[in-house]
Amino acid sequence: MRILLVNDDGIESPGLALLARAALRLGEVWAVAPAGQCSAMSHRITLHGFLDVHRAPDFPVPGVRAFSVDGTPADCVKAALAHVLDAPPDVVFSGVNRGCNLGRDILYSGTVGAAMEALVSGVPAVAWSAQTDGGMDVAERWLGRVADEIFSRSFAADCVWNVNFPACAPEDVRGVRWDCAVSKNPFYRGVYTPQPLADGARLVLGGEVARDAEPGSDIRALLDGYIAVNRLRCMAL
């Protein structure tokens, strides 16, 4: 199997290295990721100018062909398919994102945006995300078995799989909740605190994580200690 890895946290992200280690047991792995932090860029692409593509010789996982792109997560998919790979991948793994992509937050996610770009390019995709302060440890332990289960199911032509790992001890995970509904609420609730400026105001950004959600939703599953999995439909397909 040929696997393309992308993300929105950048080529140096520990989550990308984690994903590479898990993917190597499945086959040939390529990583094409943004040169820097590109969170919350959704499905944004670069329309004018150029994209610089560079080899990433210091990528920390041996056996992975790694490249950085001076562009967005979706740009990375486009660059990989147009230039870096000599044949299309069998699947695209996007992540592992530092921070969950649940509920309305999915709309902003560069992780999900890259997975959607793969889908519209004819390649099945999985978006992987982990809650901060512990979710990466859960991903390290559980990602492989969740991937195996996904491959035992099926990839729909118009949907990406979206997986979110909770922040808890790996042994405390209660299981996997499949086909969760997308919550109608955000997981991260932004707060904008104004500070006066001479000619306006400065909005200081902050926020808090949701503490409750609808039964059966992705946020509720995560809050209850489950790995939350759902399928996100691309409306363009």
Side-chain angles (χ1 to χ4, degrees):
M1 183 180 296
R2 172 177 283 195
I3 303 165
L4 171 62
L5 309 183
V6 296
N7 74 352
D8 70 0
D9 288 331
I11 190 69
E12 297 181 354
S13 164
L16 186 65
L18 186 162
L19 190 58
R21 291 191 296 270
L24 274 173
R25 71 180 183 86
L26 299 172
E28 174 187 322
V29 179
W30 298 68
V32 182
Q37 174 59 250
C38 288
S39 291
M41 286 198 173
S42 190
H43 203 144
R44 174 183 168 182
I45 61 172
T46 301
L47 293 178
H48 306 288
F50 53 85
L51 296 172
D52 287 337
V53 180
H54 297 280
R55 292 186 180 275
D58 296 328
F59 193 74
V61 182
V64 176
R65 299 174 178 89
F67 298 79
S68 67
V69 178
D70 186 19
T72 71
D75 284 335
C76 290
V77 176
K78 286 183 172 292
L81 299 182
H83 170 70
V84 178
L85 277 67
D86 56 6
D90 296 295
V91 67
V92 169
F93 283 174
S94 183
V96 175
N97 189 66
R98 186 179 181 275
C100 287
N101 286 301
L102 300 162
R104 290 183 182 173
D105 296 349
I106 290 168
L107 295 171
Y108 308 113
S109 170
T111 304
V112 173
M116 287 292 184
E117 178 57 38
L119 196 67
V120 299
S121 300
V123 183
V126 185
W128 306 90
S129 302
Q131 192 173 3
T132 55
D133 301 323
M136 287 294 180
D137 293 335
V138 175
E140 190 86 56
R141 179 83 63 88
W142 282 81
L143 194 149
R145 69 185 80 175
V146 174
D148 288 343
E149 179 64 22
I150 287 174
F151 283 116
S152 75
R153 296 183 179 221
S154 63
F155 285 92
D158 63 346
C159 294
V160 300
W161 288 96
N162 184 43
V163 182
N164 284 268
F165 299 100
C168 60
E171 59 272 17
D172 291 338
V173 173
R174 299 177 67 184
V176 182
R177 284 273 172 86
W178 294 89
D179 291 319
C180 298
V182 176
S183 175
K184 293 181 172 59
N185 297 298
F187 179 67
Y188 184 80
R189 303 172 191 275
V191 176
Y192 301 84
T193 303
Q195 294 180 350
L197 296 175
D199 58 348
R202 170 176 294 161
L203 301 180
V204 180
L205 308 182
E208 61 181 15
V209 170
R211 298 179 181 176
D212 198 10
E214 318 94 303
S217 69
D218 49 5
I219 296 178
R220 183 71 265 164
L222 193 91
L223 293 176
D224 289 342
Y226 290 89
I227 297 168
V229 184
N230 48 26
R231 281 178 279 197
L232 307 177
R233 181 166 177 259
C234 178
M235 299 301 292
L237 296 174

